[in-house]
Amino acid sequence: MNADEWSEIHRLSAAGMSIKGMAAHLGMSRNTIRRALSFDAPPPDHRPGRGSVTDAYAEQIRSLLADEPGLTITQIGQRIGWERSRTTLARRVDRERRLVGGPGGPLTRTGCAVPEFATEFIGRRAELRELRELLGGHRLVTVIGVGGVGKTRLAARTAVELRRAFADGVRVVELASLRNPALLPQAVFDGLGIAHRDQPDRPAVDALVEHVRTRHMLIVLDNCEHVLEAAARFVDDVLRATSRVHFLATSREVLNLPGERISVLNPLSTAGDRTPAIALFESRARDVLPGFTVDDTNRDAVQRVCERLDGLPLAIELACARLRVLSVHELAERLSDSVDLLSTRGRGGAERHQSLQAAMAWSHELCTREQQLLWARVSIFAGGFDTRAAEAVCADGALPAGAVLDCLYDLVGKSILQREESRGRVRFRILETIREFGQAMLSPDESERLHRRHLEWCAGLVTESVRSWFSDEQFEISERLRANLANVRKALETALVLPADAHGPSAAELVSAPWFLWACGLSAREHAMWLGRVLEREDLGPARRAAALGTLGLVRTMQGYRSAAEPVVAEALGLARRAGDVPATAFALDAQGLGAFFDGDHRRAETLLTESLALYESRPDVRGDLPCAVRVHLGMLLCFDGRTREARRYFDDVRRRCEQVGERWMLSYAVFGQGLVAVTEERFPEAIELARASLCLKRDFEDSVGTPLAVELLGWAEAGAGSAARSAALVGAASVLWRAFGQQLYGSAQWMARRERFALRARSELGNAAYEAGTRRGASMGMTELLDLALDRSAPDAPEGEIELVAVLSPREREVARHLAAGLTNRQIAAALVLSHRTVEGHVEHILQKLGLQNRNQVAVALTAARTAAPTG
């Protein structure tokens, strides 16, 4: 038995697999399994593990999945020539899917492993080889070069080619939209897809190090030059604290760190008949003119274009976009004259950079006036934008709103903007070099005007999100806020420098009204930072100050920092009462009551919370999420008092209100509360199902408060039900999630005491050593592995043939498919899985598309046929 086998045995044990099952699964004796479970630490033996019949196919499987993630088991088997058990192959494919997908990852989708590009990657084979060799022997490699030379594209391609070389995957962190260097760790958290990343009592870099300390991964930091010092400090800190994390950075300057290896990226060669520059021109020209080829009739003209643009990829792409209206020869003539003219206007800088500026200027001059205006104006956005945003911020008398869509289309066609589509929504982004050029086209007055309009648009986005949050649009709201976090941050910076008497929204409105921001991608650490900056302003009015103080007090209370929260909440309450602001008073009373509850002062807590709820109920115009939050807090308090019947009424009431409008985030807390009642009344099987349902509801959000709460509850319920090993792992995982938000279990002694009571049950069954080993296993789990354990995905819940058929479906889609096969309606499925009706409709549509079926009745037929066709031997 080696270290890897020990780890796999302990992982399977934590997932609830029996010794007999592990022995069969791993091909080991039961005594070996028992011996491994008796060790608290892995043996000092790192030889390769015992072979499996699938080992010889592992690399092929990984390669297939990396290129085509949606392949079915049958398709993979056919391509690798597999003739053995499909169940064995399915297990290996499932394992390799997790490896290809990278580390444990987030509860929700945040961040992308490697960005996708719509155009073909051309040339750079020598540069790719150099980067592979450098990263094979060094932990920090920086690609430097002028703007437009292709650093981002090369880094992304390198990441694609190296993703199987790093066991825990590759992540790309885009820094171009970052304007505040202090938020660099937050940008890395977002890029790595770490949903639960706050540890407010320690530096942000320490929280990241804890996540990546034992991982073998590559982090690509793209566009470091404008936050160079912050990026260098960050990389240095991580490299010193880890041993297997590698960095690939792109920048116009070196990071200047010890051990840094530099790769200088030069423009594409233009010498010769078939150069990389000409190949790039041909590829991009073919995107504009299908069937285009470089031949004897146009080769000289193409050569002149590439030479005149110094082989800069971005400049060549911009030039090729003109082939819609010019021949290659006309392009060469006009471009040569324009570059000669425009390059003379430059003042200093590298010759190649002047050539790029000249190419962009020429592209700019060939745009219509409306296209020029839009190019300059969209440079105000950070991190991308959609059509509605462009219309709201950029349109005016000179650029009518009706012309914006056509101009966006034209600018995409000219390679000025990049089009991206995700989940049926289209967004646009602008390369940093092109954005800088557009911004330079703005006068100071116009730039100020656009910043104000951008702030107003962001404030409208936040206001509409707050207004519609308690509805069935909640997931879409969360997605839109997540997609626009860079814009919201930029708007906050704008609002903070405006004078108090300036007309328009304030920074306080942007960060205090949406108190639920931690469910939309903003960490509690960052939320508190913005609130702190808002409160530093001496010109803040009483109403806005009360709102900011109340939100900050609530955040600090839930994090467990009540000594810091109490004076903040008291000041908020005083300001709100003096202003006669009923909702603000109720909000502060809720925060104050919650703090008293966590302190164990139940009588005072009940008085404050009851008063808060009464004030909310006196105002029928108040948002539904606010009084529901108070009801949840009251229900938890009553549960801890043993008054479960009263508690259940509050939770049932919140669940009913949420289900009536299709709301899901607060619903997850109501379902959690019902599970808390079940645990308190020792109805443990029911509590397990409710805790799982709550956790499932949270998967579409980044709820760094509610997720550890649901995992914790599940751990308690598993202990009560006699599943001690699962309980230990879940509590260990929950402890890490709590630490990522604040103190354990709100820093509350009574909550910790309840954890200890259930921990004692599990300890008495397992023994201290095994229990501690279990909590360590849970603490080391990534989110994917944790969800597999929590939701009991390791259990073989379907026949082999069915597993093969539904392999292309997500876990949630598989659940919906089986309910469809059972004949349930969409509304019945929604009730069974605690989902909104609209969400189920979306899942059904995706299932039919992925399985190639026409209607829901065919799902049952397909599953039945798959089971019948599965081999029985």
Side-chain angles (χ1 to χ4, degrees):
M1 175 184 60
N2 67 10
D4 290 338
E5 290 167 337
W6 178 92
S7 298
E8 181 66 4
I9 290 167
H10 280 256
R11 186 188 72 79
L12 292 173
S13 176
M17 186 176 287
S18 67
I19 290 176
K20 180 179 178 181
M22 284 186 281
H25 179 73
L26 299 174
M28 297 179 176
S29 72
R30 297 183 193 181
N31 285 337
T32 300
I33 301 294
R34 292 189 184 96
R35 189 166 68 253
L37 292 173
S38 70
F39 296 157
D40 291 338
D45 180 356
H46 293 274
R47 295 172 297 172
R50 178 181 310 208
S52 161
V53 292
T54 59
D55 287 351
Y57 300 89
E59 185 63 29
Q60 288 176 268
I61 295 170
R62 278 197 294 273
S63 179
L64 288 170
L65 290 173
D67 295 334
E68 300 180 66
L71 286 176
T72 66
I73 305 298
T74 295
Q75 290 169 327
I76 292 172
Q78 290 171 346
R79 296 195 189 185
I80 67 175
W82 181 260
E83 296 179 349
R84 297 173 181 250
S85 163
R86 281 184 290 178
T87 300
T88 301
L89 178 61
R91 288 172 180 159
R92 185 66 186 227
V93 170
D94 183 59
R95 175 182 170 189
E96 298 304 333
R97 281 190 202 279
R98 291 197 296 268
L99 290 175
V100 170
L107 184 64
T108 59
R109 316 139 314 281
T110 59
C112 168
V114 180
E116 297 179 359
F117 292 87
T119 54
E120 181 184 6
F121 183 81
I122 300 294
R124 303 297 197 191
R125 303 313 304 177
E127 291 88 344
L128 282 169
R129 282 195 301 272
E130 179 190 21
L131 288 179
R132 281 200 302 267
E133 292 170 2
L134 287 172
L135 286 165
H138 305 281
R139 296 179 59 209
L140 171 60
V141 178
T142 302
V143 179
I144 63 169
V146 298
V149 78
K151 299 184 295 295
T152 294
R153 192 66 186 271
L154 176 63
R157 183 67 183 186
T158 303
V160 169
E161 296 203 357
L162 288 180
R163 58 187 169 187
R164 288 190 292 274
F166 292 89
D168 292 310
V170 176
R171 291 291 184 271
V172 176
V173 181
E174 186 274 316
L175 300 178
S177 63
L178 190 67
R179 290 293 171 264
N180 185 343
L183 293 177
L184 189 140
Q186 179 71 48
V188 178
F189 279 124
D190 293 342
L192 266 61
I194 306 171
H196 307 292
R197 65 271 198 183
D198 256 338
Q199 295 193 27
D201 54 347
R202 57 196 299 212
V205 69
D206 290 353
L208 176 75
V209 165
E210 181 169 317
H211 179 81
V212 302
R213 188 186 304 279
T214 61
R215 301 185 186 232
H216 182 214
M217 67 186 303
L218 173 65
I219 300 174
V220 180
L221 297 181
D222 188 33
N223 288 300
C224 295
E225 56 273 354
H226 62 296
V227 288
L228 197 65
E229 291 185 11
R233 284 196 306 270
F234 178 82
V235 170
D236 191 41
D237 287 342
V238 175
L239 289 177
R240 290 175 184 274
T242 63
S243 61
R244 302 174 70 204
V245 175
H246 292 235
F247 283 95
L248 174 60
T250 73
S251 178
R252 297 178 195 176
E253 301 179 52
V254 300
L255 299 186
N256 199 25
L257 290 174
E260 180 182 17
R261 293 297 182 269
I262 308 301
S263 176
V264 180
L265 187 61
N266 294 309
L268 295 170
S269 171
T270 60
D273 290 338
R274 189 64 184 173
T275 66
I278 290 178
L280 177 66
F281 185 102
E282 184 176 58
S283 174
R284 299 304 182 258
R286 194 177 292 124
D287 292 336
V288 177
L289 302 173
F292 176 89
T293 59
V294 176
D295 55 28
D296 292 341
T297 66
N298 59 25
R299 183 172 285 105
D300 288 345
V302 172
Q303 180 86 21
R304 291 202 308 275
V305 171
C306 293
E307 288 176 350
R308 206 68 198 88
L309 296 175
D310 291 313
L312 282 167
L314 178 56
I316 292 172
E317 292 191 13
L318 291 173
C320 285
R322 306 308 307 166
L323 292 176
R324 286 187 173 87
V325 293
L326 298 173
S327 71
V328 176
H329 296 87
E330 290 172 326
L331 176 67
E333 291 172 9
R334 295 196 182 200
L335 180 62
S336 182
D337 293 342
S338 297
V339 170
D340 286 340
L341 174 64
L342 293 167
S343 293
T344 62
R345 302 177 185 173
R347 294 289 185 269
E351 181 181 343
R352 284 182 174 131
H353 188 66
Q354 290 183 12
S355 295
L356 176 60
Q357 291 293 308
M360 286 193 291
W362 183 64
S363 292
H364 186 264
E365 291 189 358
L366 292 175
C367 289
T368 66
R369 178 56 181 158
E370 288 180 342
Q371 292 165 6
Q372 291 176 345
L373 285 174
L374 187 60
W375 178 350
R377 292 176 181 181
V378 295
S379 69
I380 207 72
F381 289 103
F385 58 94
D386 59 19
T387 304
R388 286 190 297 170
E391 291 170 341
V393 175
C394 304
D396 61 8
L399 178 61
V404 169
L405 182 61
D406 288 338
C407 286
L408 287 172
Y409 174 84
D410 292 332
L411 291 179
V412 169
K414 297 175 191 294
S415 296
I416 305 302
L417 298 178
Q418 309 294 312
R419 179 186 183 277
E420 300 172 334
E421 184 171 350
S422 176
R423 296 180 174 270
R425 296 184 181 277
V426 173
R427 287 178 64 82
F428 304 92
R429 65 182 178 89
I430 184 168
L431 295 178
E432 184 66 8
T433 306
I434 296 177
R435 188 194 67 79
E436 291 171 354
F437 183 91
Q439 205 159 47
M441 296 296 105
L442 297 173
S443 67
D445 288 345
E446 187 173 14
S447 179
E448 180 180 350
R449 181 179 67 85
L450 283 169
H451 274 88
R452 286 178 178 267
R453 293 192 67 173
H454 178 263
L455 168 60
E456 291 168 0
W457 172 76
C458 285
L461 170 65
V462 170
T463 300
E464 177 59 24
S465 299
V466 170
R467 186 189 67 79
S468 303
W469 179 248
F470 195 70
S471 73
D472 60 358
E473 300 174 22
Q474 198 170 63
F475 175 66
E476 288 75 13
I477 292 168
S478 177
E479 287 267 278
R480 195 163 187 224
L481 280 174
R482 266 198 294 266
N484 285 290
L485 280 181
N487 281 311
V488 171
R489 288 167 179 147
K490 183 169 185 176
L492 282 163
E493 295 286 2
T494 300
L496 285 168
V497 300
L498 289 177
D501 58 355
H503 297 293
S506 71
E509 292 174 90
L510 288 172
V511 290
S512 58
W515 63 278
F516 49 80
L517 271 176
W518 54 76
C520 304
L522 202 69
S523 71
R525 181 199 298 273
E526 185 181 351
H527 200 178
M529 182 208 77
W530 288 116
L531 288 164
R533 289 186 63 185
V534 165
L535 291 165
E536 287 172 359
R537 295 192 56 146
E538 296 180 356
D539 54 11
L540 197 63
R544 290 176 178 172
R545 184 171 182 80
L549 285 167
T551 303
L552 179 60
L554 180 67
V555 172
R556 291 303 192 209
T557 296
M558 290 193 297
Q559 288 180 304
Y561 305 125
R562 286 187 294 285
S563 60
E566 286 171 2
V568 172
V569 175
E571 184 180 354
L573 182 58
L575 287 169
R577 286 194 190 280
R578 286 194 293 275
D581 189 332
V582 173
T585 301
F587 192 91
L589 285 169
D590 181 23
Q592 211 169 48
L594 198 60
F597 168 36
F598 294 152
D599 272 338
D601 189 348
H602 288 198
R603 178 176 296 180
R604 179 168 178 263
E606 187 171 359
T607 299
L608 291 166
L609 292 172
T610 302
E611 184 182 354
S612 172
L613 183 58
L615 285 174
Y616 277 135
E617 291 179 336
S618 72
R619 292 288 299 270
D621 58 328
V622 80
R623 300 187 340 242
D625 56 311
L626 294 170
C628 278
V630 183
R631 292 184 182 97
V632 168
H633 299 157
L634 273 166
M636 292 193 300
L637 169 68
L638 294 169
C639 239
F640 272 78
D641 262 353
R643 296 152 62 186
T644 54
R645 182 176 298 179
E646 296 172 70
R648 187 185 299 112
R649 282 201 295 269
Y650 278 116
F651 294 131
D652 290 349
D653 183 29
V654 173
R655 180 165 185 169
R656 177 183 56 79
R657 292 171 186 268
C658 293
E659 289 176 338
Q660 281 179 343
V661 297
E663 196 272 359
R664 299 184 63 199
W665 188 62
M666 190 58 69
L667 174 61
S668 72
Y669 284 92
V671 174
F672 159 81
Q674 291 174 326
L676 184 63
V677 170
V679 160
T680 305
E681 295 178 346
E682 299 193 351
R683 292 180 284 109
F684 297 117
E686 181 182 347
I688 289 172
E689 293 308 312
L690 288 165
R692 287 176 178 166
S694 177
L695 193 56
C696 285
L697 284 164
K698 295 181 183 298
R699 286 185 296 187
D700 286 338
F701 303 98
E702 295 184 29
D703 189 355
S704 50
V705 186
T707 300
L709 198 60
V711 174
E712 185 83 42
L713 177 67
L714 183 57
W716 297 354
E718 293 281 12
S723 301
R726 291 174 60 82
S727 176
L730 288 164
V731 170
S735 68
V736 172
L737 296 178
W738 281 115
R739 191 160 63 247
F741 180 77
Q743 295 190 31
Q744 296 289 312
L745 288 163
Y746 307 116
S748 171
Q750 60 185 332
W751 282 78
M752 288 297 296
R754 182 160 292 200
R755 172 194 279 182
E756 285 305 312
R757 284 202 298 274
F758 286 106
L760 186 59
R761 289 194 186 198
R763 281 179 189 274
S764 63
E765 181 178 337
L766 292 175
N768 284 334
Y771 181 83
E772 293 301 331
T775 59
R776 287 196 298 271
R777 287 196 301 276
S780 67
M781 287 180 179
M783 187 55 70
T784 299
E785 189 178 2
L786 170 57
L787 287 175
D788 285 344
L789 170 64
L791 303 179
D792 202 20
R793 291 178 182 162
S794 60
D797 56 357
E800 178 185 328
E802 182 179 326
I803 291 173
E804 179 178 341
L805 176 69
V806 301
V808 295
L809 305 181
S810 69
R812 174 61 84 189
E813 288 166 350
R814 294 176 196 176
E815 291 179 302
V816 173
R818 289 175 192 131
H819 283 303
L820 280 175
L824 272 66
T825 66
N826 286 358
R827 292 200 178 277
Q828 289 170 329
I829 296 171
L833 298 180
V834 200
L835 299 173
S836 72
H837 183 255
R838 180 180 297 181
T839 299
V840 172
E841 287 179 339
H843 284 317
V844 172
E845 181 180 349
H846 292 155
I847 289 165
L848 297 179
Q849 289 174 349
K850 290 182 178 181
L851 298 184
L853 304 177
Q854 299 299 316
N855 60 65
R856 59 193 296 125
N857 296 328
Q858 293 175 334
V859 175
V861 176
L863 292 182
T864 301
R867 293 177 187 132
T868 304
T872 57

